[in-house]
Amino acid sequence: MNPSVKFILVTLSMLVIAFFFNPWTPLLFWLGIILLQLTMSHINWKLWLLFMLPFSIGAFGYLWTTVVFGAETGGTIIWSFAGIDVTEEQWARALSLAFRVMAFSTLSLLFAFTTDPVKFIMSLMQQMKLSPKLSYGVMVGYQFLPVMKDEFTQIQQAQRLRGAETKKYSWQRLLSMRRVLIPMLAGAVRKAERSAFAMEARGFTGEPRSAFYHPVQIDRTDWLMSGIFLILLLTSCIGGSWLS
Amino acid sequence: MLEEIFSLDGLSFRFPEDEDKTLTNISFSVHRGERLVLTGPSGCGKSTFLYLLNRLYPDNCDGLVDGKIILFGKTAEDYAPGEINHRIATVFQDPDSQFCMPTVEEELAFTLENLQTPFAQMEPRITAVLEETGLAHLRNTVIQSLSGGMKQRVATACALIMEPEVLLLDEPLSHLDPYTALQFVHWLEDLQQASNLTIVTVEHRLDCWGSFFEREIQLGYDGRIVADQTFIPRQPILFPERQSAAQPITLLLTQGLSVTMKDKQLLDPLEFSVSQGEVVAIAGPNGSGKSTLVKALCGIYKPKTGTIRADGIGYVPQSPEYLFLTQSVQQEVAFSGASSQSELNGLMASLRLEEVREAHPFAISHGQKRRVAIAAMLADKKPVLLMDEPTSGQDDDALLELFNLIDQRSREGTSFLIVTHDMEFAAGLADSVILIKDGHMTGKFPANEVWSNEKLLASHHLLAPKGVVRPAKSFA
């Protein structure tokens, strides 16, 4: 699927969901997204669960704090526990918040897990008219990441040999990072200049280009997926309002 | 009469922040199909000159240009940005920072997109250039996974796909080992003959190029042309004769040393010893385990089995600045606190560091940085020094300086283990050679035995050093 289209859909859904305060809309939407992911994508579910773990804890935290510390609203008390009375409205609001967190995180993960970053940048440039200067800049940065990582370990190793002791506390370690970062930054500046020269020497001027070798197109799947997505969004909005 | 491609008249160039001119009064012209090399000491403005030809300068540095540059019969200023780069392609020195796309094919496509090539022509042009350069099998390979030599070829292919009339090369061999460098030169020669390219190269390691060039322009320290002459094939620099300083005291002894990482045997068990004052070269193909050995010796990697016995092993990485921790050279050398003030002063004096005593270690020249690293290691009381690729990208003067430095220190009792691809350097300096292949140490040989054994060298992807083989041939 076209990454730009996906990006727009994801952003749109988030904005829309943000305006519904009943618990049903985010719940329906969340279940729908998971269903979509189950049926239409191949992702590493183990990794997915691992990533979802902090979000789930966060969602539960929201639920708990809203229920326990929420403003007094009045209304029917549905549940009483250790002197805390939970009203119906509080409970609904808490659930709404929690599900919203779940829905948003699932949605973000859906995007992150199924999008190739290179293709995403290419698509941003081709469909969203992002300037080539910025897009290729990001691309070069992306290529440098593994190199920077190697450099980082190399510098650390070399400095440890000099007897630069590893600090006991993490804040001290954070401060001594400076020693590693300075040589790294010095190298990065040099590298960046060289890359810029290399690109320019190959005729890169930052002008919009007239043709692409790998055009990232919008095809039938995109329309289809957008349709499914919008239907899901609409159903959960209407269904949510109707159920509450 | 051949067509004139470049013509320079009284060209001078000055960086805005500098007092002195980088280039002064340069006049010459280049004809189509010529193979020209620009030589001169480091920092004489060779690269600057190249950047003036492909119009990266003066726009990117606000430099001040005097005189005339005429490219293809038109003054340089009249070209729109990027326009000239379609006709003049450039290959740079560093194989790691020339690419912006993941795979070879996409990188080539990036170049074509820059040229606003219509979509229908892209595919055939990419296929054609890959065929022509013999890289067709790498089409979908991830560039960062390639070796330095292959990256340089890909960079050249990216330059050639523009169908340029001129190819500018900025020290293209400096990161390649001699074997790969030789292959690159042969490959370039075939390409040049097939397409009648004009080639202008900046280079200081002329011995690798054989008789590739036709003409040589020499620049002096002050950025003036010293000589403009027919190119004569060069011999590598001859290092002075050197007496081994090895003494019968063992400084380093390893036994059954092996390294395993993530269940992968990187280094088979190996053993060797190094005497005081001995200079050992460590050689072998790329990825054979040379740097693993070095890292195991100095304690970055934990050996799986075996023992290393030594009083202290210091390590000078390829970029010495990785070691630096403090704000001044003096503090840097004194960092460990293992040496007394008078010892430190002695070291600083013998390594000629007194003039930069107060300078920031990042702000001195490359040679000085390395001397600081060595001084720091010696001040740590580490009598065995490991050096990783100290010769790459160094000009003749720097190589000689390094040679003298190692020679002198070895006579004062320091042992050296040097990882290097530069066989001339190794031949001039090493008392013995450790050959490694596929994580297995073939053995530690006396140096002269290795240089004459071509079979042994070839099986380790090495070339016999030029200065040593010739006399052997003339004996036969």
Side-chain angles (χ1 to χ4, degrees), chain B residues 306-434:
Chain B
T307 51
I308 303 165
R309 250 184 291 157
D311 292 341
I313 304 177
Y315 172 57
V316 182
Q318 201 174 345
S319 326
E321 55 213 64
Y322 285 0
L323 288 175
F324 297 159
L325 297 163
T326 59
Q327 308 294 319
S328 83
V329 168
Q330 190 177 4
Q331 288 171 4
E332 200 57 52
V333 177
F335 184 76
S336 69
S339 296
S340 68
Q341 191 56 47
S342 65
E343 279 175 313
L344 288 177
N345 288 340
L347 265 176
M348 299 279 275
S350 78
L351 288 164
R352 287 184 288 130
L353 289 172
E354 275 159 332
E355 60 211 90
V356 289
R357 185 176 271 272
E358 301 300 329
H360 195 282
F362 279 89
I364 53 183
S365 78
H366 189 79
Q368 285 169 332
K369 280 180 194 165
R370 186 158 42 223
R371 293 208 298 270
V372 173
I374 290 176
M377 287 298 159
L378 292 175
D380 286 8
K381 305 278 191 201
K382 290 183 170 163
V384 180
L385 281 186
L386 306 168
M387 296 183 97
D388 201 354
E389 295 286 352
T391 58
S392 73
Q394 307 289 307
D395 66 7
D396 288 1
D397 290 343
L399 282 181
L400 266 178
E401 188 194 304
L402 184 64
F403 175 91
N404 289 327
L405 177 64
I406 294 176
D407 183 39
Q408 182 211 343
R409 293 309 316 179
S410 75
R411 271 187 272 119
E412 284 165 33
T414 310
S415 304
F416 284 89
L417 283 120
I418 303 169
V419 175
T420 185
H421 285 303
D422 188 332
M423 287 300 112
E424 284 76 31
F425 186 73
L429 206 51
D431 304 317
S432 45
V433 181
I434 289 178

Side-chain angles (χ1 to χ4, degrees), chain A residues 182-210:
Chain A
I182 290 174
M184 243 176 96
L185 283 178
V189 169
R190 245 173 296 167
K191 252 197 213 108
E193 192 188 7
R194 284 192 211 139
S195 288
F197 272 18
M199 284 167 81
E200 226 175 288
R202 287 211 251 125
F204 182 78
T205 49
E207 300 276 306
R209 25 209 54 209
S210 54

